[in-house]
């Protein structure tokens, strides 16, 4: 037995983080035990646990997914903790120690300081201090509590403190300013403390409106160095007017412009500092996970373009920095420009719009490793000028930067293109999880768009443990909501933009916390964000009440189904689905989530209140958007998808709504036309409403619009538009065209939930699987109880995946064998969990079970065409002959092209169609057989079509 993944508030060994209502979690692995019998939590002031602080003793009710810290920690203190577990089979283990260190809480003695020079000058603040450690028995501990504006790096005796980038991160600085805690090492005698400052998000140009100095106009820093000696003596060194400043080698920097380092610059000039009047009350301990270099990659090629340019190809659209080993002579000026794509073989960067994305380096002749400090780039290609030939790609390295989001999920299939799509979506997440969930990392935007964040959150939480990342972002959202009386702006932080409060974007306040809760089982997440969740719903209700309390949201501007392909203007950004329809649907959806969250938290008054409101919205929605016989009046692919996903279908209307969606797909020749609202749910709705084959069809589409189209076009991330790059390799436009934009990567959530079938039992939408009727939250989140309901399809020979849940690793694998006549499944259930397995197209008496390890199979029952059973922790194999063959099925909705390509179906056409009607002049291979048979020239009777359909299926 082994105890792993010890975390507190979903962070590993956090140093100086705010930890509201601390909860610890852990995972038990490598045991044949089924469940935890009891556990013990211990905390101490030392790693050897000789200075104990708390010992729970052996308890039966310690929850491994969220155990409330059973003591109140003191500030400025490091605590070590460990967990011991006993399993039901007698196995036991003690974890390795983990730790957390609390930040300072007392009033700041230090002052904000700023250089007394023109505000444009980039500077380094510094101070020399004397440490007489020998007189006090040595330094026991040294901590620097500090922050800098805009971005900073702390240097101690010429070495960078810590491994983080772009501190203090991207936050709404007008609401709060996070400070960091550094564990520093000091030497005997003189020590130099330096704070290198850059403009960053705070002061530099940032935002959609080309703002400068969004939050402030001066570089500044505040810090306290706390030194504790072995004899108990303490010393504090504060930022004040005893500090000095000097010019920086980094002469210019910015998020959009890039960076200019001039190593020949005169940095010897001393600049006085002055106290700066900034509100110390805004200083709060950091909330974000660490932001740092997570991976490195090497260039794959040096390209000489037709224009004679020298271009480095990193082989991957990545986000972060690049570094190189410089042997450049003194005065040499090397320049680099970042771009995402080549055009006609040449370097291209017009889709970055006004973001210069440059790096300039002027050498002083000293051989050194060079990197950036106060910017970041989204790029695959680097145009290099001023570098002596020949350029050696081994001198260069790409530094991939993103927040600490530990990978938890992986999927692989028999189709390499699908595997590449999955990897591309992961790279899109990495590139856009840079302290906030950004929309794009390369152009003059890089904002925390709330709509993109919420639609991708389900995927993100399968791919990674992003709980702490989203907790920080949720705090940012709640801060910005104060300005709009609960409304959620479209970008968080606002950062000088002119925000809109729009449906689907504002749902970041409700959907993201709920998804985090489902993934982690940590009700503290909901407690932390509940006021924000209510604030959003209450905001919508007030807008509703202003205009008659119709229990619909039919006012204001909304983005609607952004970038959908069914809009009135070809190539436009607005889809055809009524934005007020979408707003009203989300009004219901968010209200139901708040109702469920209230139930989890035991807030019965809120549960009743929001439950009643949700019922009123639902009824008003039915009256407004359905005909009396149950037909949906908004006839778009997204509209059908939304109501099916959100449980907004009247009793008895489900067949009509399903048929409506199917008909939209038929008319669009089985191509999607959905945007940011409809696409994340479309394949899930198809799979869960009897159209699983179409979900796979959309996934496997290799033409435009389709996910595999961009893979075949060489994409290494996910695009913003379905046709960001045209078939001839030309970029489709530059106004709004990111090649690293993760929203459509949300198809990966369908892969986890439907393809391999891993789902939490507590759902964000209130709909029963089979009856479409609303139901209340009954099961636990956090995968203590979960469902595996794989939905194989003949288009893939096999698929498998792993997801390291809050309880441990879940494995799901399936294969189609013997020409579709046999299905094989391999299932892994983690320690302490229980799985409801749902096998498709199965009979109880035909399923062969092999319990390789574990607690066995129970409660097996037939449920229509499915077999349901309960599995305890362990590994299992199942095989059976499905009730229907898992092979390609032809029917009237098959295209004429594919029917003619198959010998058996071609024979049916020749016997029943061409022999009677001949080769018709209107015939087109792209038409489906149904369209052809229903043409005005033929209009064959229904019974004739049904007979042909039956023969094709056979």
């Amino acid at each position: 037995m082994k105890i792993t993944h010890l975390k507190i508030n979903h962070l590993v060994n956090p140093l100086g983080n705010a930890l509201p209502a601390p909860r610890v979690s852990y995972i038990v692995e490598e045991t044949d035990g089924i469940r935890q019998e009891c556990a013990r939590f211990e905390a101490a002031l030392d790693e050897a646990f000789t200075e104990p602080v708390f010992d729970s003793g052996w308890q039966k009710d310690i929850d491994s997914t969220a155990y409330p810290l059973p003591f109140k920690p003191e500030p400025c203190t490091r605590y070590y903790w460990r967990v011991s577990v006993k399993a039901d089979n007698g196995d036991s283990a003690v974890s390795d120690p983990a730790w957390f260190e609390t930040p300072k809480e007392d009033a700041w003695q230090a002052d904000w300081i700023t250089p007394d020079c023109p505000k444009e000058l980039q500077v380094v603040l510094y101070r020399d201090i004397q440490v007489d450690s020998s007189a006090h028995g040595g330094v026991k501990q040294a901590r620097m509590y500090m922050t800098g504006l805009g971005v900073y790096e702390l240097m101690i005796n010429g070495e960078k403190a810590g491994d983080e980038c772009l501190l203090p991160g991207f936050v709404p600085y007008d609401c709060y300013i996070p400070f960091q805690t550094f564990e520093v090492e000091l030497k005997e005698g003189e020590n130099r403390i330096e704070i290198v400052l850059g403009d960053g998000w705070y002061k530099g140009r940032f935002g959609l409106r080309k703002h400068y100095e969004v939050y402030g106009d001066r570089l500044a820093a505040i810090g306290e160095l706390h030194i504790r000696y072995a004899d108990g003596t303490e010393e504090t060194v504060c930022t004040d007017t005893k500090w000095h400043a000097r010019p920086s080698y980094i002469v210019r920097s910015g998020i959009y412009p890039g960076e200019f380092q001039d190593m020949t610059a005169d940095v010897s000039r001393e600049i006085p500092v002055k106290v700066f009047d900034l509100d110390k009350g805004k200083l709060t301990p950091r909330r974000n996970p660490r932001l740092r270099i997570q991976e490195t990659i090497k260039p794959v090629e040096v390209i000489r373009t037709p224009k004679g340019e020298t271009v480095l190809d990193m082989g991957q659209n990545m986000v972060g920095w690049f570094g190189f080993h410089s042997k450049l002579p003194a005065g040499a000026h090397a320049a680099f420009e970042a771009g995402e794509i080549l055009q006609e073989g040449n370097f291209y960067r017009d889709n970055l719009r006004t973001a210069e994305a440059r790096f300039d380096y002027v050498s002083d002749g000293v051989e050194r490793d060079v990197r950036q400090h106060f910017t970041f780039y989204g790029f695959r290609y680097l145009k290099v000028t001023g570098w002596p030939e020949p350029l050696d790609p081994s001198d260069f390295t790409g530094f991939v930067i993103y927040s600490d989001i530990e990978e938890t999920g992986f999927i692989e299939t028999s189709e390499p293109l699908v595997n590449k799509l999955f990897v591309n979506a992961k790279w899109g997440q990495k590139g856009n999880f840079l302290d906030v969930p950004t929309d794009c990392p390369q152009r003059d935007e890089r904002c925390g768009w709330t709509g993109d964040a919420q639609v991708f959150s389900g995927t993100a939480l399968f791919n990674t443990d992003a709980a702490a990342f989203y907790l920080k972002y949720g705090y940012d959202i709640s801060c910005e909501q104060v300005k709009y009386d609960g409304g959620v702006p479209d970008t968080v932080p606002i950062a000088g933009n002119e925000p809109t409060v729009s449906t689907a974007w504002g749902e970041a306040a409700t959907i993201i916390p709920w998804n985090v809760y489902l993934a982690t089982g940590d009700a503290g997440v909901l407690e932390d964000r509940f006021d924000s969740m209510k604030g959003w719903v209450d905001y919508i209700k007030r807008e509703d009440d202003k205009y008659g309390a119709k229990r619909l949201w039919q006012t204001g501007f909304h983005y609607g189904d952004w970038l959908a392909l069914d809009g009135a203007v070809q190539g436009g950004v607005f889809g055809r689905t009524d934005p007020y329809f979408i707003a009203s649907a989300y009004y219901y959806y968010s209200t139901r989530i708040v109702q469920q969250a209230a139930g989890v938290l035991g807030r019965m008054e809120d549960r009743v209140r929001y439950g009643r409101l949700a019922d009123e919205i639902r009824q008003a929605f039915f009256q407004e958007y359905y005909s009396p016989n149950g037909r949906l009046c908004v006839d778009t692919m997204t509209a059908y998808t939304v109501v099916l996903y959100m449980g907004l279908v009247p009793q008895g209307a489900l067949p009509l709504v399903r048929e409506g969606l199917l008909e939209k797909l038929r008319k669009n020749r089985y191509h999607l036309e959905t945007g940011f609202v409809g696409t994340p749910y479309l394949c899930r709705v198809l799979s869960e409403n009897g159209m699983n084959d179409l979900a796979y069809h959309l996934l496997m589409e290799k033409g435009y619009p389709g996910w595999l189209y961009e893979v075949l076009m060489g994409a290494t991330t996910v695009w913003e538009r379905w046709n960001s790059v045209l078939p001839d390799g030309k970029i489709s436009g530059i106004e709004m065209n990111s090649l690293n934009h993760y929203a459509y990567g949300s198809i990966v959530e369908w892969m986890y939930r439907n393809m391999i079938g891993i789902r939490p039992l507590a759902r964000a939408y209130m709909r029963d699987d089979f009856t479409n009727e609303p139901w209340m939250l009954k099961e636990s989140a956090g995968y203590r109880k979960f469902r595996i309901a794989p939905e194989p399809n003949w288009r893939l020979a096999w698929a498998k995946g792993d997801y390291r849940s809050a309880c441990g690793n879940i494995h799901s694998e399936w294969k189609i064998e013997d020409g579709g006549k046999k299905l094989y499944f391999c299932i892994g259930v983690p320690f302490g969990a229980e799985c409801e397995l749902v096998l498709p197209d199965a009979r109880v008496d035909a399923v062969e079970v092999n319990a390789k390890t574990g607690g066995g199979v129970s409660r097996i029952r037939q449920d229509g065409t499915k077999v349901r059973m309960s599995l305890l922790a362990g590994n299992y194999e199942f095989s059976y002959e499905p009730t229907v063959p898992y092979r390609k099925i032809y029917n009237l909705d098959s295209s004429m092209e594919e029917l003619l390509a198959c010998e058996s179906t071609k024979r049916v056409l020749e016997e029943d169609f061409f022999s009677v009607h001949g080769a018709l002049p209107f015939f087109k291979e792209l038409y489906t057989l149904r369209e052809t048979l229903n043409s005005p020239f033929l209009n064959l009777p229904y019974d004739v079509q049904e007979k042909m359909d039956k023969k094709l299926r056979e």
Side-chain angles (χ1 to χ4, degrees):
M1 177 186 281
K2 191 175 180 180
I3 304 172
T4 63
H5 298 93
L6 278 70
K7 298 183 179 183
I8 182 164
N9 285 23
H10 311 285
L11 295 163
V12 177
N13 298 342
L15 176 62
N17 281 66
L19 298 172
R23 289 94 56 198
V24 300
S25 59
Y26 57 92
I27 289 175
V28 177
E29 301 175 324
E30 299 181 18
T31 176
D32 290 333
I34 304 303
R35 61 176 63 88
Q36 177 179 291
E37 281 291 310
C38 56
R40 178 185 181 189
F41 174 88
E42 299 172 86
L45 295 176
D46 67 317
E47 195 169 3
F49 288 80
T50 60
E51 301 178 66
V53 172
F54 183 86
D55 186 343
S56 70
W58 290 100
Q59 302 285 335
K60 288 188 174 293
D61 58 351
I62 291 179
D63 182 359
S64 66
T65 61
Y67 174 58
L69 192 71
F71 66 92
K72 181 175 174 56
E74 296 294 323
C76 300
T77 305
R78 176 168 293 190
Y79 294 93
Y80 294 87
W81 62 279
R82 66 188 178 191
V83 175
S84 305
V85 172
K86 292 180 181 179
D88 59 344
N89 68 339
D91 282 358
S92 65
V94 181
S95 73
D96 292 334
W99 59 265
F100 65 94
E101 185 168 321
T102 53
K104 74 186 296 290
E105 291 181 3
D106 56 340
W108 285 80
Q109 303 173 50
D111 293 317
W112 280 103
I113 58 173
T114 186
D116 192 3
C117 64
K119 61 185 180 180
E120 295 80 15
L121 188 65
Q122 306 287 281
V123 300
V124 178
L125 304 174
Y126 67 94
R127 181 177 174 182
D128 296 324
I129 64 169
Q130 291 291 326
V131 174
D132 187 8
S133 60
S134 59
H136 301 289
V139 175
K140 183 178 181 180
Q141 176 181 290
R143 297 290 186 269
M144 184 71 167
Y145 303 98
M146 68 160 297
T147 193
L149 299 172
V151 286
Y152 77 94
E153 289 183 0
L154 172 66
M155 311 288 290
I156 305 292
N157 297 320
E159 297 291 330
K160 183 175 180 290
D163 62 355
E164 294 190 69
C165 312
L166 299 166
L167 289 170
F170 187 15
V171 303
Y173 292 100
D174 55 338
C175 300
Y176 75 101
I177 301 173
F179 69 86
Q180 290 71 47
T181 301
F182 292 90
E183 184 176 7
V184 300
E185 292 187 8
L186 302 172
K187 63 183 181 180
E188 179 75 16
E190 186 171 89
N191 291 262
R192 170 158 288 197
I193 309 168
E194 296 175 292
I195 304 169
V196 189
L197 294 168
D199 288 349
W201 297 276
Y202 178 84
K203 178 178 174 289
R205 178 167 78 87
F206 189 79
L208 290 171
R209 303 295 179 264
K210 301 181 182 178
H211 289 294
Y212 289 82
E213 300 175 348
V214 173
Y215 294 105
D217 62 355
R218 296 201 64 84
L219 300 173
I222 188 170
E224 293 180 5
L225 175 62
H226 290 218
I227 307 171
R228 185 182 303 166
Y229 295 97
D231 65 0
T233 304
E234 296 188 5
E235 180 182 355
T236 302
V237 178
C238 300
T239 49
D240 54 25
T241 53
K242 295 177 184 176
W243 286 60
H244 307 278
R246 62 170 175 81
S248 175
Y249 291 112
I250 304 169
V251 296
R252 287 196 302 275
S253 68
I255 303 298
Y256 298 158
E259 192 164 305
F260 195 125
Q261 295 180 19
D262 186 353
M263 305 309 293
T264 67
D266 179 9
V267 296
S268 62
R269 178 165 57 95
E270 186 172 303
I271 301 168
V273 303
K274 60 184 179 180
V275 173
F276 191 43
D277 184 21
L278 275 177
D279 184 5
K280 296 181 189 178
K282 289 183 179 177
L283 289 166
T284 62
R286 66 180 302 166
R287 290 176 175 265
N288 59 335
R290 292 181 299 174
L291 177 62
R292 58 194 179 119
I293 297 169
Q294 305 282 358
E295 305 174 42
T296 59
I297 60 177
K298 300 298 287 188
V300 297
E301 186 181 5
V302 177
I303 300 170
R304 310 295 179 187
T305 73
K307 289 184 177 180
E309 305 155 315
T310 299
V311 176
L312 275 171
D313 179 5
M314 303 305 296
Q316 171 65 53
N317 196 342
M318 55 161 283
V319 176
W321 299 333
F322 56 91
F324 54 84
H325 187 71
S326 173
K327 298 179 182 178
L328 296 171
H333 182 168
F336 306 83
E337 295 176 74
E340 291 190 292
I341 192 173
L342 301 179
Q343 292 287 274
E344 298 180 341
N346 297 306
F347 181 77
Y348 180 86
R349 40 148 291 124
D350 288 357
N351 68 314
L352 275 59
R353 301 186 303 213
T354 65
E356 294 93 334
R358 286 179 59 95
F359 178 62
D360 290 82
Y361 178 76
V362 179
S363 174
D364 58 354
V366 176
E367 184 175 342
R368 62 167 60 88
D369 290 325
V370 179
R371 65 165 172 86
Q372 297 78 56
H373 296 261
F374 301 136
T375 189
F376 64 91
Y377 311 96
F379 69 103
R380 173 172 173 171
Y381 300 98
L382 287 172
K383 186 174 81 169
V384 185
T385 56
W387 192 273
E389 297 291 344
L391 186 148
D392 184 353
S394 66
D395 285 336
F396 291 81
T397 301
F399 298 113
V400 183
I401 297 173
Y402 52 91
S403 295
D404 274 353
I405 48 170
E406 182 183 4
E407 288 199 33
T408 53
F410 183 75
I411 289 175
E412 187 179 9
T413 76
S414 58
E415 173 51 66
L417 292 176
V418 173
N419 299 340
K420 180 59 175 169
L421 171 64
F422 175 82
V423 172
N424 287 0
K426 273 202 168 180
W427 272 102
Q429 179 178 354
K430 293 174 184 178
N432 285 289
F433 271 45
L434 198 148
D435 210 45
V436 304
T438 55
D439 60 324
C440 63
Q442 74 296 90
R443 67 186 181 214
D444 54 355
E445 196 164 339
R446 315 187 202 186
C447 298
W449 285 93
T450 47
D452 304 62
Q454 73 90 355
V455 300
F456 191 76
S457 60
T459 297
L461 288 159
F462 274 113
N463 283 339
T464 65
D465 183 358
F469 177 85
Y470 280 131
L471 282 169
K472 179 267 182 186
Y473 188 60
Y475 184 76
D476 292 348
I477 289 173
S478 65
C479 290
E480 300 288 35
Q481 280 181 277
V482 173
K483 304 170 187 175
Y484 297 92
D485 198 17
V488 178
D490 50 16
T491 62
V492 172
I494 294 172
N497 296 329
E498 298 171 9
T500 294
V501 176
S502 168
T503 191
W505 275 244
E507 263 61 37
T510 52
I511 291 174
I512 292 177
W514 184 252
N515 281 343
V516 173
Y517 166 69
L518 292 182
T520 64
D522 181 4
V525 171
L526 299 179
E527 190 71 57
D528 193 42
R529 300 270 57 86
F530 192 63
D531 287 344
S532 169
M533 297 168 78
K534 288 202 308 180
W536 172 239
V537 171
D538 292 348
Y539 171 88
I540 303 172
K541 183 176 180 297
R542 283 193 298 273
E543 292 298 303
D544 171 20
D545 290 344
K546 285 180 189 176
Y547 297 91
K550 294 188 292 183
R551 295 301 168 253
L552 301 168
W553 193 7
Q554 296 182 322
T555 60
F557 167 82
H558 299 281
Y559 291 103
D561 195 23
W562 185 251
L563 293 184
L565 300 176
D566 61 355
V569 178
Q570 187 174 4
V573 296
F574 297 104
R576 191 163 64 87
T577 308
D578 177 9
Y580 292 150
F581 169 92
I582 295 172
S584 298
Y586 270 113
Y587 183 12
Y588 169 77
Y589 189 47
S590 280
T591 305
R592 278 294 188 215
I593 289 175
V594 172
Q595 176 200 8
Q596 292 178 92
V600 171
L601 297 174
R603 302 190 181 203
M604 293 302 104
E605 186 175 326
D606 282 330
R607 186 178 69 82
V608 171
R609 173 191 167 199
Y610 289 100
R612 184 180 299 117
L613 177 60
D615 290 342
E616 292 171 0
I617 298 167
R618 195 166 187 259
Q619 291 307 311
F621 189 93
F622 292 163
Q623 292 174 15
E624 182 78 3
Y625 294 112
Y626 282 89
S627 70
N629 69 349
R631 189 171 298 278
L632 186 64
C633 298
V634 181
D635 185 33
T636 68
M637 202 176 290
T638 288
Y640 291 112
T641 300
V642 164
V643 297
L644 285 167
Y645 179 79
M646 296 185 183
L648 282 167
V649 179
Q651 189 168 4
L654 184 59
L656 281 174
V657 175
R658 286 173 170 167
E659 180 59 33
L661 175 58
L662 179 58
E663 186 61 23
K664 291 304 297 182
L665 284 161
R666 285 184 187 132
K667 288 180 177 178
N668 209 41
R669 292 187 169 82
Y670 300 101
H671 286 84
L672 56 76
E673 55 185 7
T674 49
F676 272 32
V677 169
T679 302
Y681 308 140
L682 177 58
C683 283
R684 289 178 60 184
V685 161
L686 290 172
S687 290
E688 294 168 20
N689 285 275
M691 294 173 275
N692 188 51
D693 187 64
L694 289 177
Y696 277 87
H697 171 79
L698 294 179
L699 170 73
M700 304 293 284
E701 173 60 59
K702 295 178 181 178
Y704 163 80
W707 281 281
L708 299 190
Y709 166 73
E710 60 190 63
V711 174
L712 287 167
M713 290 299 295
T716 62
T717 45
V718 176
W719 296 344
E720 181 174 15
R721 294 175 178 265
W722 293 110
N723 65 340
S724 285
V725 180
L726 302 174
D728 61 3
K730 298 288 181 63
I731 197 159
S732 61
I734 63 171
E735 176 53 34
M736 194 177 70
N737 201 350
S738 159
L739 302 186
N740 190 354
H741 219 90
Y742 59 37
Y744 288 145
S746 54
I747 183 62
V748 168
E749 185 174 7
W750 171 84
M751 294 184 191
Y752 283 108
R753 283 178 171 264
N754 300 92
M755 177 190 289
I756 63 171
I758 300 173
R759 312 175 194 178
L761 278 178
R763 294 192 174 186
Y765 53 96
M766 306 288 288
R767 181 173 65 77
D768 183 86
D769 278 345
F770 303 107
T771 66
N772 202 48
E773 288 304 300
W775 53 274
M776 292 303 297
L777 182 69
K778 295 178 180 178
E779 301 290 353
S780 61
Y783 292 86
R784 183 70 68 202
K785 295 182 179 179
F786 65 95
R787 177 178 296 146
I788 294 183
E791 297 177 87
N793 183 265
W794 61 269
R795 289 177 172 84
L796 295 176
W798 55 267
K800 61 182 178 180
D802 289 275
Y803 169 55
R804 202 202 73 227
S805 72
C807 286
N809 191 65
I810 299 169
H811 178 76
S812 178
E813 177 180 356
W814 55 259
K815 296 177 185 176
I816 300 174
E817 300 175 330
D818 194 18
K821 296 178 182 178
K822 186 175 182 181
L823 291 180
Y824 164 85
F825 298 87
C826 180
I827 305 297
V829 182
F831 177 83
E834 182 179 344
C835 169
E836 180 193 43
L837 176 64
V838 183
L839 297 175
D841 300 306
R843 300 187 315 274
V844 169
D845 58 353
V847 176
E848 297 180 14
V849 182
N850 177 15
K852 298 170 70 176
T853 63
V857 180
S858 64
R859 297 200 297 273
I860 304 177
R861 65 185 176 90
Q862 191 76 42
D863 189 350
T865 62
K866 303 173 190 275
V867 169
R868 294 178 182 260
M869 62 185 77
S870 292
L871 310 178
L872 296 177
N875 297 292
Y876 306 84
E877 292 180 344
F878 305 88
S879 60
Y880 60 92
E881 183 178 329
T883 54
V884 294
Y886 273 66
R887 58 172 176 78
K888 182 175 176 61
I889 303 296
Y890 296 92
N891 55 35
L892 293 181
D893 292 310
S894 301
S895 71
M896 295 293 287
E897 182 180 31
E898 60 183 337
L899 292 174
L900 291 170
C902 173
E903 285 301 320
S904 59
T905 55
K906 181 180 179 181
R907 194 177 308 114
V908 172
L909 291 180
E910 289 173 345
E911 292 173 356
D912 292 9
F913 180 41
F914 292 122
S915 63
V916 178
H917 302 285
L920 301 177
F922 63 86
F923 166 74
K924 291 184 180 179
E925 291 185 349
L926 291 178
Y927 285 176
T928 66
L929 179 57
R930 187 189 301 273
E931 289 173 318
T932 304
L933 299 181
N934 286 328
S935 71
F937 296 92
L938 292 176
N939 197 21
L940 293 184
Y942 179 76
D943 61 332
V944 174
Q945 295 189 32
E946 286 300 299
K947 289 179 182 177
M948 191 177 295
D949 185 73
K950 183 178 179 181
K951 292 179 71 173
L952 290 171
R953 290 177 183 274
E954 294 172 348

